[in-house]
Each structure stands twice: as C-alpha cells, then as structure tokens.
Amino acid sequence: MNGPHDLGGQMGFGLVAPDSNEPYFHADWERRVLGLTLSCGAFGAWNIDESRHARENIPPASYLAASYYEIWTRALEVLLERHGFATSAEIASGTKQVEPAVPKRILKAETVAGVLSKGGPCDRPLETRPAFAAGDRVRTKNFNPETHTRLPRYARAKTGVVEAVQGAFVFPDDNAHGKGENPQWVYTVVFDAAEIWGEGADPTLTVSIDAWESYLERL
C-alpha cells in the first residue's frame, strides 16, 4: 500500500544521518515494547506480514509523528483487539474486563533464547522453475494496491536487470491478509540510478531491490 511507511525517494524529510553510537533502546519502555511484540507474536494469531500491514495502516500524521517503538505499540494494540486478546477499553484502562481469546502457544522466559536464535525462516520449497535468470532485463509492474506489498513506490514501472535468483519465499502480499503463504521466486533486481531518480542522478550509483516474481515483467 502507499502509506507513510514508504518514504523511499520522498522529498522534504532531510538527510539520513545514522548515529554510530546509537543505543539499542533510548528508554526502558522501548525494551518492554520489543518484548511485548515478540511475546504476543508468539501467540500464533498473526504473522509478520499482517503485523507490518498493521503498522502501515496507522494514519499518516500519527505515523510520521511517532517514534519507532511507538509505531510498534500502536500496531500491537490493533492486532490484540482484532484477534480478541484485548479490547480498546482494556488497553486504555490497563485492566481485564472480558475473557480473552486463548493463544495457540505462550513464549516462556526459558525458551526465549532458543526461539530468537531459530528465527522465523520464510523460505519455502517450490516445484516450479524460476521465470527469470541472472542477466534478464525486466520491468517492475505499476500498481498501487490498498493492501500490503513489498514493492516500494520508487521502484514501480522501472526497468532493471536480474542480478540473482535468491530462492522461493512466502509472498507477503497474500500472507498479510490471510490468503496463505503462496511462495514465489524472489530476485535481486538492479536499476541504474537515473532509472530510479531521473535526470541529475549520480551515474556511478545503482539501486537494487529484492522482488517477488509477480512484481516483474519480461522485456
């Protein structure tokens, strides 16, 4: 979707100036938000793609005014209410008022290290062969869905070259909306800077993205 999260190439937001000494957390509450998000995600009621889409749906003014972990908090509240684990009134009051849904599983303290080290791999076996190969010239599709997508706005309707076939992975555009994993081949596609940014772009630069197969058309 074209939401406030998709800022690639947008003007007026200033330079990206990383802080080499930035701490992992700026306050204790941020640490707690990370723990809450991971433990609630372990309930098994939603997947990472639905979680991302919940963040994307935060109203633009609220999203752009929020810090990183404030965005996580607001999306988690939406997911907890959507899946019956807490009502908006309970979230506001901090007290239980009705019986919540029963999670499929609970993340316990003694299992956290093992769960985090295992991660959540999203590569999947696929019987079909890749439609594209390294060196193929392709064009990304031009679409503006209201639903979740991993194709950024700045890279739509652009011509590039497939650099590598990365494997088959869960298709987030479907997975975010309960339509199944529907894995597709994923490709690294490289674009000249001028193709992305237009006249005046640095000719020595390129931009690469990882693109699911259905985002691409052969030239």
Side-chain angles (χ1 to χ4, degrees), residues 150-161:
R150 298 288 284 174
L151 181 61
R153 276 179 290 181
Y154 70 80
R156 296 177 193 166
K158 304 296 183 181
T159 298
V161 177

Side-chain angles (χ1 to χ4, degrees), residues 179-200:
K179 297 180 180 180
E181 294 189 337
N182 304 326
Q184 295 184 12
W185 292 102
V186 173
Y187 308 85
T188 297
V189 182
V190 180
F191 307 89
D192 292 336
E195 177 69 12
I196 296 292
W197 310 126
E199 184 177 344

Side-chain angles (χ1 to χ4, degrees), residues 6-210:
D6 195 354
L7 293 180
Q10 300 300 302
M11 302 293 287
F13 288 91
L15 296 174
V16 176
D19 181 353
S20 59
N21 297 313
E22 186 175 9
Y24 291 119
F25 304 103
H26 297 84
D28 285 342
W29 70 267
E30 294 185 340
R31 190 188 308 270
R32 290 179 62 83
V33 169
L34 175 60
L36 283 168
T37 301
L38 293 176
S39 59
C40 292
F43 288 172
W46 59 81
N47 56 57
I48 189 172
D49 299 308
E50 183 181 354
S51 181
R52 285 189 176 123
H53 190 56
R55 296 170 198 168
E56 295 167 359
N57 273 286
I58 296 171
S62 297
Y63 187 102
L64 295 174
S67 69
Y68 183 76
Y69 282 110
E70 285 175 330
I71 292 170
W72 279 41
T73 301
R74 293 171 188 177
L76 181 58
E77 291 173 351
V78 169
L79 293 167
L80 289 171
E81 185 173 3
R82 178 184 297 167
H83 292 277
F85 294 108
T87 67
S88 58
E90 289 175 319
I91 292 171
S93 67
T95 58
K96 176 183 173 182
Q97 299 176 15
V98 297
E99 286 301 315
V102 177
K104 296 177 183 178
R105 52 185 176 269
I106 297 292
L107 182 62
K108 298 182 178 180
E110 62 270 20
T111 65
V112 169
V115 169
L116 292 183
S117 64
K118 181 180 178 181
C122 57
D123 55 318
R124 299 290 186 269
L126 200 59
E127 294 182 359
T128 60
R129 295 181 59 81
F132 306 102
D136 286 349
R137 293 183 71 249
V138 293
R139 179 183 291 112
T140 54
K141 293 183 179 179
N142 187 12
F143 59 79
N144 296 279
E146 295 182 357
T147 50
H148 181 64
T149 184
R150 298 288 284 174
L151 181 61
R153 276 179 290 181
Y154 70 80
R156 296 177 193 166
K158 304 296 183 181
T159 298
V161 177
V162 173
E163 182 178 66
V165 182
Q166 296 294 354
F169 294 84
V170 173
F171 186 47
D173 302 42
D174 286 346
N175 199 42
H177 303 287
K179 297 180 180 180
E181 294 189 337
N182 304 326
Q184 295 184 12
W185 292 102
V186 173
Y187 308 85
T188 297
V189 182
V190 180
F191 307 89
D192 292 336
E195 177 69 12
I196 296 292
W197 310 126
E199 184 177 344
D202 186 337
T204 67
L205 298 181
T206 58
V207 176
S208 63
I209 67 169
D210 286 336

